[in-house]
Amino acid sequence: MSMLKKIDEILKQERIIGYLDPHAEEFILELNGEKFGTSSSCLGRITIIEGKWPWERDKSRVVYKSHEKISIYNIANVISRPFNDLWLKVTGPIIHIRTERIDCALNILNIARISGFKHSGIISSSDNVFTVELMSAVQITMPLKINDTFVFSKESLNEIINKANDALDEGHRRLRKLTKMVKEDLIC
């Protein structure tokens, strides 16, 4: 089965189970070719995490998640609930691309870094397949509530939301640049 046919089948399955990020197909289809293909992707998201620290997976949990811009109503709905510690986290796109050719993997990395995915690298090589993780530098992590006390003023909430939405947009801008460069400049 060709790489592109395999991607069409994966996209079909992910659409059925509702696992595909909104608008992901347009990027995923562009990031697949005869010699390389995506194995997973996240287009970026805004989350609110409950817990002492947002990185402690066994002691924290996501209480809100959006792959699209948020509004004050989205946030108000979450922060009005009885949580002691809340964190706002914005992450940019993360894409995994697999290829059997090291020169292709290195070319993908070069394009990724030029596109603003500077936290990228080859994360595995097994069975002669290289997995390249493309991770954008777009990221915000900030506390909203600590020990049941809000750490922002009501007046600043709109600015916090605008900044989160701007960061999400920046991740999408970098992803558009990446897909354009892969389509036009990638040699594998």
Side-chain angles (χ1 to χ4, degrees), residues 22-38:
H23 314 292
E25 280 186 61
E26 64 187 271
F27 297 106
I28 291 172
L29 290 172
E30 295 292 329
L31 293 171
N32 286 273
E34 289 299 318
K35 307 280 188 206
F36 59 94
T38 55

Side-chain angles (χ1 to χ4, degrees), residues 99-164:
T99 181
E100 295 177 354
R101 299 181 50 180
I102 187 66
D103 61 325
C104 186
L106 294 173
N107 287 337
I108 290 168
L109 276 176
N110 185 49
I111 286 172
R113 289 191 174 119
I114 292 169
S115 302
F117 285 73
K118 67 180 185 176
H119 298 294
S120 300
I122 297 172
I123 59 170
S124 71
S125 61
S126 61
D127 300 326
N128 294 326
V129 176
F130 300 94
T131 300
V132 183
E133 182 176 67
L134 308 178
M135 185 181 299
S136 74
V138 172
Q139 175 174 246
I140 296 173
T141 303
M142 67 170 288
L144 296 173
K145 196 174 185 184
I146 299 174
N147 294 325
D148 205 28
T149 302
F150 290 107
V151 294
F152 62 89
S153 67
K154 285 189 262 186
E155 296 78 25
S156 67
L157 187 55
N158 275 325
E159 288 305 313
I160 292 168
I161 291 167
N162 289 339
K163 193 60 82 171

Side-chain angles (χ1 to χ4, degrees), residues 86-97:
L86 289 174
W87 297 81
L88 175 71
K89 185 169 185 177
V90 183
T91 52
I94 301 172
I95 310 288
H96 291 109
I97 298 180

Side-chain angles (χ1 to χ4, degrees), residues 29 60 65 71 120:
L29 290 172
S60 65
K65 176 173 68 171
S71 72
S120 300

